[in-house]
mmCIF file of all heavy atoms in Angstrom:
data_model
loop_
_atom_site.group_PDB
_atom_site.id
_atom_site.type_symbol
_atom_site.label_atom_id
_atom_site.label_comp_id
_atom_site.label_asym_id
_atom_site.label_seq_id
_atom_site.Cartn_x
_atom_site.Cartn_y
_atom_site.Cartn_z
ATOM 1 N N MET A 597 122.968 150.651 115.360
ATOM 2 C CA MET A 597 122.209 149.580 116.063
ATOM 3 C C MET A 597 123.032 149.067 117.155
ATOM 4 O O MET A 597 124.245 148.747 116.988
ATOM 5 C CB MET A 597 121.800 148.551 115.125
ATOM 6 C CG MET A 597 120.815 148.908 114.028
ATOM 7 S SD MET A 597 119.169 149.271 114.646
ATOM 8 C CE MET A 597 118.607 147.555 114.865
ATOM 9 N N VAL A 598 122.438 148.906 118.359
ATOM 10 C CA VAL A 598 123.133 148.297 119.543
ATOM 11 C C VAL A 598 122.316 147.023 119.956
ATOM 12 O O VAL A 598 121.054 147.126 119.995
ATOM 13 C CB VAL A 598 123.169 149.167 120.669
ATOM 14 C CG1 VAL A 598 123.928 148.623 121.889
ATOM 15 C CG2 VAL A 598 123.819 150.553 120.311
ATOM 16 N N TYR A 599 123.037 145.879 120.020
ATOM 17 C CA TYR A 599 122.366 144.600 120.395
ATOM 18 C C TYR A 599 122.726 144.155 121.800
ATOM 19 O O TYR A 599 123.820 144.370 122.221
ATOM 20 C CB TYR A 599 122.712 143.625 119.322
ATOM 21 C CG TYR A 599 122.371 143.932 117.981
ATOM 22 C CD1 TYR A 599 123.340 144.416 117.037
ATOM 23 C CD2 TYR A 599 121.032 143.885 117.500
ATOM 24 C CE1 TYR A 599 122.991 144.756 115.661
ATOM 25 C CE2 TYR A 599 120.683 144.288 116.274
ATOM 26 C CZ TYR A 599 121.587 144.697 115.348
ATOM 27 O OH TYR A 599 121.338 145.109 114.084
ATOM 28 N N PHE A 600 121.744 143.475 122.437
ATOM 29 C CA PHE A 600 121.965 142.993 123.834
ATOM 30 C C PHE A 600 121.780 141.455 123.854
ATOM 31 O O PHE A 600 121.016 140.931 123.123
ATOM 32 C CB PHE A 600 120.997 143.713 124.769
ATOM 33 C CG PHE A 600 120.976 145.188 124.784
ATOM 34 C CD1 PHE A 600 119.954 145.845 124.156
ATOM 35 C CD2 PHE A 600 122.037 145.869 125.290
ATOM 36 C CE1 PHE A 600 119.979 147.213 124.119
ATOM 37 C CE2 PHE A 600 122.018 147.268 125.273
ATOM 38 C CZ PHE A 600 121.018 147.978 124.690
ATOM 39 N N THR A 601 122.551 140.917 124.740
ATOM 40 C CA THR A 601 122.401 139.476 124.926
ATOM 41 C C THR A 601 121.189 139.105 125.904
ATOM 42 O O THR A 601 120.398 138.202 125.626
ATOM 43 C CB THR A 601 123.748 138.853 125.632
ATOM 44 O OG1 THR A 601 124.749 139.185 124.749
ATOM 45 C CG2 THR A 601 123.560 137.337 125.771
ATOM 46 N N ASN A 602 121.022 139.899 126.973
ATOM 47 C CA ASN A 602 119.934 139.707 127.894
ATOM 48 C C ASN A 602 118.725 140.588 127.609
ATOM 49 O O ASN A 602 118.931 141.733 127.220
ATOM 50 C CB ASN A 602 120.415 139.903 129.291
ATOM 51 C CG ASN A 602 121.615 138.978 129.736
ATOM 52 O OD1 ASN A 602 121.599 137.835 129.356
ATOM 53 N ND2 ASN A 602 122.578 139.531 130.475
ATOM 54 N N PRO A 603 117.578 140.131 127.741
ATOM 55 C CA PRO A 603 116.342 140.953 127.478
ATOM 56 C C PRO A 603 116.317 142.119 128.521
ATOM 57 O O PRO A 603 116.344 141.983 129.664
ATOM 58 C CB PRO A 603 115.172 140.014 127.730
ATOM 59 C CG PRO A 603 115.665 138.916 128.644
ATOM 60 C CD PRO A 603 117.163 138.783 128.254
ATOM 61 N N SER A 604 116.099 143.344 127.901
ATOM 62 C CA SER A 604 116.275 144.610 128.655
ATOM 63 C C SER A 604 115.097 145.504 128.275
ATOM 64 O O SER A 604 114.534 145.295 127.164
ATOM 65 C CB SER A 604 117.562 145.220 128.505
ATOM 66 O OG SER A 604 118.613 144.357 128.740
ATOM 67 N N TYR A 605 114.888 146.536 129.071
ATOM 68 C CA TYR A 605 113.763 147.474 128.807
ATOM 69 C C TYR A 605 114.189 148.879 129.403
ATOM 70 O O TYR A 605 115.112 149.013 130.198
ATOM 71 C CB TYR A 605 112.526 146.998 129.285
ATOM 72 C CG TYR A 605 112.378 146.846 130.816
ATOM 73 C CD1 TYR A 605 111.689 147.826 131.537
ATOM 74 C CD2 TYR A 605 112.941 145.763 131.483
ATOM 75 C CE1 TYR A 605 111.622 147.734 132.898
ATOM 76 C CE2 TYR A 605 112.880 145.637 132.867
ATOM 77 C CZ TYR A 605 112.211 146.685 133.572
ATOM 78 O OH TYR A 605 112.125 146.539 134.958
ATOM 79 N N GLY A 606 113.232 149.824 129.231
ATOM 80 C CA GLY A 606 113.427 151.193 129.898
ATOM 81 C C GLY A 606 114.761 151.835 129.511
ATOM 82 O O GLY A 606 115.441 152.381 130.401
ATOM 83 N N PHE A 607 114.993 151.973 128.226
ATOM 84 C CA PHE A 607 116.303 152.421 127.783
ATOM 85 C C PHE A 607 116.366 153.977 127.788
ATOM 86 O O PHE A 607 115.404 154.595 127.566
ATOM 87 C CB PHE A 607 116.602 151.955 126.344
ATOM 88 C CG PHE A 607 116.564 150.466 126.147
ATOM 89 C CD1 PHE A 607 115.470 149.862 125.474
ATOM 90 C CD2 PHE A 607 117.552 149.653 126.726
ATOM 91 C CE1 PHE A 607 115.470 148.509 125.281
ATOM 92 C CE2 PHE A 607 117.499 148.294 126.515
ATOM 93 C CZ PHE A 607 116.573 147.721 125.860
ATOM 94 N N SER A 608 117.583 154.505 128.100
ATOM 95 C CA SER A 608 117.869 155.865 127.869
ATOM 96 C C SER A 608 119.378 155.868 127.411
ATOM 97 O O SER A 608 120.166 155.058 127.534
ATOM 98 C CB SER A 608 117.839 156.639 129.192
ATOM 99 O OG SER A 608 118.740 156.128 130.143
ATOM 100 N N ALA A 609 119.577 156.977 126.516
ATOM 101 C CA ALA A 609 120.896 157.000 125.873
ATOM 102 C C ALA A 609 121.449 158.432 125.921
ATOM 103 O O ALA A 609 120.639 159.374 125.864
ATOM 104 C CB ALA A 609 120.748 156.581 124.386
ATOM 105 N N LYS A 610 122.720 158.569 126.089
ATOM 106 C CA LYS A 610 123.395 159.831 126.095
ATOM 107 C C LYS A 610 124.766 159.839 125.532
ATOM 108 O O LYS A 610 125.447 158.741 125.535
ATOM 109 C CB LYS A 610 123.364 160.485 127.490
ATOM 110 C CG LYS A 610 124.159 159.763 128.495
ATOM 111 C CD LYS A 610 124.181 160.428 129.834
ATOM 112 C CE LYS A 610 125.047 159.607 130.847
ATOM 113 N NZ LYS A 610 125.002 160.248 132.166
ATOM 114 N N VAL A 611 125.231 160.903 124.912
ATOM 115 C CA VAL A 611 126.648 161.024 124.453
ATOM 116 C C VAL A 611 127.489 161.584 125.622
ATOM 117 O O VAL A 611 127.101 162.622 126.203
ATOM 118 C CB VAL A 611 126.681 161.900 123.159
ATOM 119 C CG1 VAL A 611 128.091 162.141 122.729
ATOM 120 C CG2 VAL A 611 125.859 161.322 122.106
ATOM 121 N N GLN A 612 128.682 160.997 125.682
ATOM 122 C CA GLN A 612 129.627 161.482 126.701
ATOM 123 C C GLN A 612 130.758 162.357 126.067
ATOM 124 O O GLN A 612 131.143 162.084 124.958
ATOM 125 C CB GLN A 612 130.270 160.243 127.441
ATOM 126 C CG GLN A 612 129.350 159.369 128.167
ATOM 127 C CD GLN A 612 129.991 158.277 128.832
ATOM 128 O OE1 GLN A 612 131.307 158.227 128.866
ATOM 129 N NE2 GLN A 612 129.294 157.319 129.446
ATOM 130 N N GLU A 613 131.150 163.400 126.783
ATOM 131 C CA GLU A 613 132.280 164.192 126.349
ATOM 132 C C GLU A 613 132.170 164.853 125.027
ATOM 133 O O GLU A 613 133.229 165.173 124.441
ATOM 134 C CB GLU A 613 133.638 163.243 126.442
ATOM 135 C CG GLU A 613 133.858 162.595 127.729
ATOM 136 C CD GLU A 613 134.935 161.581 127.752
ATOM 137 O OE1 GLU A 613 135.518 161.379 126.569
ATOM 138 O OE2 GLU A 613 135.263 160.896 128.674
ATOM 139 N N ASN A 614 131.032 165.182 124.614
ATOM 140 C CA ASN A 614 130.900 165.857 123.367
ATOM 141 C C ASN A 614 129.501 166.558 123.413
ATOM 142 O O ASN A 614 128.425 166.002 123.120
ATOM 143 C CB ASN A 614 130.896 164.850 122.136
ATOM 144 C CG ASN A 614 131.062 165.616 120.819
ATOM 145 O OD1 ASN A 614 130.533 166.727 120.711
ATOM 146 N ND2 ASN A 614 131.787 165.039 119.844
ATOM 147 N N ALA A 615 129.514 167.800 123.796
ATOM 148 C CA ALA A 615 128.297 168.533 124.059
ATOM 149 C C ALA A 615 127.552 168.842 122.802
ATOM 150 O O ALA A 615 126.342 169.134 122.809
ATOM 151 C CB ALA A 615 128.622 169.875 124.864
ATOM 152 N N GLN A 616 128.251 168.924 121.566
ATOM 153 C CA GLN A 616 127.522 169.289 120.339
ATOM 154 C C GLN A 616 126.677 168.134 119.865
ATOM 155 O O GLN A 616 125.715 168.344 119.095
ATOM 156 C CB GLN A 616 128.552 169.727 119.376
ATOM 157 C CG GLN A 616 129.262 171.081 119.726
ATOM 158 C CD GLN A 616 130.310 171.520 118.668
ATOM 159 O OE1 GLN A 616 130.715 170.617 117.943
ATOM 160 N NE2 GLN A 616 130.670 172.736 118.602
ATOM 161 N N VAL A 617 127.115 166.888 120.074
ATOM 162 C CA VAL A 617 126.433 165.775 119.483
ATOM 163 C C VAL A 617 125.453 165.159 120.524
ATOM 164 O O VAL A 617 125.727 165.023 121.686
ATOM 165 C CB VAL A 617 127.451 164.676 119.098
ATOM 166 C CG1 VAL A 617 126.767 163.449 118.498
ATOM 167 C CG2 VAL A 617 128.465 165.261 118.159
ATOM 168 N N THR A 618 124.240 164.910 120.024
ATOM 169 C CA THR A 618 123.176 164.344 120.764
ATOM 170 C C THR A 618 122.788 163.031 120.193
ATOM 171 O O THR A 618 122.983 162.793 118.942
ATOM 172 C CB THR A 618 122.039 165.235 120.978
ATOM 173 O OG1 THR A 618 121.439 165.530 119.658
ATOM 174 C CG2 THR A 618 122.375 166.517 121.683
ATOM 175 N N CYS A 619 122.075 162.179 120.935
ATOM 176 C CA CYS A 619 121.488 160.983 120.377
ATOM 177 C C CYS A 619 120.123 160.652 120.968
ATOM 178 O O CYS A 619 119.912 160.998 122.169
ATOM 179 C CB CYS A 619 122.451 159.746 120.567
ATOM 180 S SG CYS A 619 122.586 159.184 122.256
ATOM 181 N N GLN A 620 119.348 160.021 120.179
ATOM 182 C CA GLN A 620 117.962 159.712 120.713
ATOM 183 C C GLN A 620 117.667 158.265 120.239
ATOM 184 O O GLN A 620 118.229 157.826 119.235
ATOM 185 C CB GLN A 620 116.976 160.640 120.244
ATOM 186 C CG GLN A 620 116.791 160.767 118.692
ATOM 187 C CD GLN A 620 115.781 161.836 118.319
ATOM 188 O OE1 GLN A 620 115.227 162.500 119.165
ATOM 189 N NE2 GLN A 620 115.443 161.851 117.045
ATOM 190 N N ILE A 621 116.800 157.621 120.963
ATOM 191 C CA ILE A 621 116.371 156.263 120.600
ATOM 192 C C ILE A 621 115.208 156.258 119.631
ATOM 193 O O ILE A 621 114.157 156.882 119.937
ATOM 194 C CB ILE A 621 115.972 155.475 121.910
ATOM 195 C CG1 ILE A 621 117.170 155.387 122.883
ATOM 196 C CG2 ILE A 621 115.415 154.145 121.572
ATOM 197 C CD1 ILE A 621 116.804 154.748 124.195
ATOM 198 N N GLU A 622 115.468 155.814 118.400
ATOM 199 C CA GLU A 622 114.469 155.822 117.334
ATOM 200 C C GLU A 622 113.534 154.578 117.511
ATOM 201 O O GLU A 622 112.354 154.649 117.293
ATOM 202 C CB GLU A 622 115.111 155.746 116.029
ATOM 203 C CG GLU A 622 115.475 157.080 115.487
ATOM 204 C CD GLU A 622 115.755 157.063 113.902
ATOM 205 O OE1 GLU A 622 116.344 156.069 113.459
ATOM 206 O OE2 GLU A 622 115.309 157.972 113.279
ATOM 207 N N GLU A 623 114.074 153.508 117.873
ATOM 208 C CA GLU A 623 113.331 152.212 117.867
ATOM 209 C C GLU A 623 114.041 151.289 118.828
ATOM 210 O O GLU A 623 115.267 151.325 119.132
ATOM 211 C CB GLU A 623 113.288 151.614 116.462
ATOM 212 C CG GLU A 623 112.359 150.418 116.349
ATOM 213 C CD GLU A 623 112.317 149.862 114.922
ATOM 214 O OE1 GLU A 623 113.436 149.969 114.324
ATOM 215 O OE2 GLU A 623 111.299 149.370 114.553
ATOM 216 N N SER A 624 113.260 150.364 119.438
ATOM 217 C CA SER A 624 113.937 149.446 120.399
ATOM 218 C C SER A 624 112.963 148.163 120.572
ATOM 219 O O SER A 624 111.800 148.207 120.418
ATOM 220 C CB SER A 624 114.168 150.026 121.775
ATOM 221 O OG SER A 624 112.931 150.423 122.418
ATOM 222 N N GLY A 625 113.671 147.140 121.021
ATOM 223 C CA GLY A 625 113.081 145.910 121.496
ATOM 224 C C GLY A 625 113.756 145.486 122.767
ATOM 225 O O GLY A 625 114.503 146.178 123.271
ATOM 226 N N ASN A 626 113.495 144.229 123.135
ATOM 227 C CA ASN A 626 114.232 143.781 124.328
ATOM 228 C C ASN A 626 115.623 143.386 124.083
ATOM 229 O O ASN A 626 116.504 143.186 125.051
ATOM 230 C CB ASN A 626 113.454 142.597 125.032
ATOM 231 C CG ASN A 626 112.059 142.953 125.548
ATOM 232 O OD1 ASN A 626 111.281 142.196 125.522
ATOM 233 N ND2 ASN A 626 111.962 144.186 126.037
ATOM 234 N N PHE A 627 116.036 143.277 122.778
ATOM 235 C CA PHE A 627 117.374 142.868 122.511
ATOM 236 C C PHE A 627 118.177 143.828 121.548
ATOM 237 O O PHE A 627 119.202 143.546 121.101
ATOM 238 C CB PHE A 627 117.373 141.509 121.781
ATOM 239 C CG PHE A 627 116.783 140.374 122.737
ATOM 240 C CD1 PHE A 627 115.523 140.028 122.688
ATOM 241 C CD2 PHE A 627 117.664 139.714 123.545
ATOM 242 C CE1 PHE A 627 115.019 139.074 123.495
ATOM 243 C CE2 PHE A 627 117.227 138.697 124.378
ATOM 244 C CZ PHE A 627 115.877 138.383 124.411
#
Side-chain angles (χ1 to χ4, degrees):
M597 296 287 287
V598 181
Y599 300 104
F600 306 105
T601 302
N602 299 322
S604 307
Y605 68 100
F607 302 109
S608 61
K610 63 179 180 180
V611 175
Q612 298 181 4
E613 303 171 0
N614 193 328
Q616 294 181 337
V617 180
T618 61
C619 71
Q620 60 182 8
I621 297 173
E622 277 198 318
E623 189 180 32
S624 68
N626 292 148
F627 296 93

